[in-house]
Amino acid sequence: MKIERERLRLYAVTDRHWLKAGETLRKPVEELLKAGVTCVQLREKEAEEELFLQEAEELQQLCSRYGVPLIINDRPDIAKAVQAAGVHVGLSDMTTERAREVLGEDFIIGVSAHNVQEARAAEAAGADYIGCGAVFGSSTKKDVTILSKEELKKICRAVRIPVTAIGGITPENAVQLAGIGIAGVAAVKGLFGQKHKKEAVEKYLKLNL
């Protein structure tokens, strides 16, 4: 297994929307790393190539220093260029097989899945972990489909690789996911949208999922 379940306990997904004027992702990401997040995903849907690559290089150096894997969203080429830990791909973005062709066997590949069939297909194609949502809606995506807790539980039972939940998850509502079988939770607003990031991380890490 290329990524241990514990590494998915608290998965921070970047969002530039929460940055102050002139601020880069480095400062908030380092705050979260110091506080104890266990994995970081660089997600840039609109950034130009040069900025994306520059951010990836900077965050890879930072995450390496803290011993935390950096996952690049949708771009295995950039993940390989900066020697990040791996890539996360959505079902409509790129196949798992294609991502593996680009990266080879040593990189982590995470795949989004919304039902048991997709999760099993991702595992069979060589995914190392699965991201499932949106469990409680989403503040970063429009027209998302809510993933029921029942379906999430079925997914966890259907695959052997770790499953992380995403979508509007806060320390308060995450308690509803206890016992379902997830390895951990991913958060965007719940981490990057918080003024006191250390306290936010501590609340998530106290959860017994």
Side-chain angles (χ1 to χ4, degrees):
M1 191 176 291
K2 294 190 184 75
I3 187 164
E4 302 85 1
R5 286 178 59 88
E6 184 63 22
R7 281 295 175 195
L8 295 171
R9 185 179 178 192
L10 184 54
Y11 188 131
V13 181
T14 67
D15 185 353
R16 299 183 62 79
H17 173 77
W18 302 103
L19 296 180
K20 299 174 183 177
E23 189 178 40
T24 69
L25 286 168
R26 181 184 181 88
K27 180 181 177 182
V29 168
E30 185 158 25
E31 285 184 63
L32 294 171
L33 288 167
K34 284 180 178 178
V37 296
T38 58
C39 190
V40 175
Q41 181 187 132
L42 173 58
R43 183 165 70 183
E44 285 287 8
K45 293 292 187 180
E46 300 176 359
E48 295 181 1
E49 186 90 3
E50 185 176 351
L51 175 59
F52 198 160
L53 184 59
Q54 180 181 331
E55 284 182 334
E57 289 175 338
E58 188 171 48
L59 293 191
Q60 171 57 17
Q61 293 176 8
L62 191 59
C63 287
S64 292
R65 192 186 316 154
Y66 285 87
V68 170
L70 174 68
I71 305 295
I72 307 295
N73 184 252
D74 289 344
R75 295 292 300 271
D77 56 332
I78 287 183
K80 189 171 186 177
V82 303
Q83 289 295 293
V87 68
H88 187 93
V89 294
L91 293 171
S92 61
D93 301 310
M94 177 181 291
T95 66
T96 307
E97 293 90 344
R98 177 56 186 151
R100 185 64 72 196
E101 285 178 17
V102 174
L103 292 173
E105 293 301 320
D106 295 332
F107 289 77
I108 297 163
I109 295 180
V111 179
S112 298
H114 309 91
N115 53 55
V116 169
Q117 183 179 1
E118 292 176 355
R120 284 176 171 161
E123 182 179 39
D128 298 298
Y129 75 88
I130 294 171
C132 294
V135 181
F136 298 110
S138 173
S139 63
T140 61
K141 292 184 178 181
K142 297 178 181 179
D143 303 322
V144 297
T145 301
I146 301 299
L147 179 70
S148 70
K149 291 186 284 293
E150 292 75 17
E151 187 68 20
L152 179 58
K153 189 173 185 178
K154 289 178 183 177
I155 290 171
C156 291
R157 290 180 175 180
V159 297
R160 291 169 294 178
I161 56 178
V163 175
T164 185
I166 190 170
I169 299 174
T170 66
E172 290 72 31
N173 62 28
V175 296
Q176 298 176 41
L177 305 178
I180 282 179
I182 57 173
V185 298
V188 185
K189 182 180 179 181
L191 292 172
F192 285 90
Q194 306 306 306
K195 182 177 180 181
H196 302 292
K197 293 179 174 55
K198 184 175 185 293
E199 289 85 345
V201 170
E202 289 173 347
K203 287 180 181 179
Y204 279 107
L205 293 178
K206 286 179 181 177
L207 295 169
N208 185 16
L209 300 175

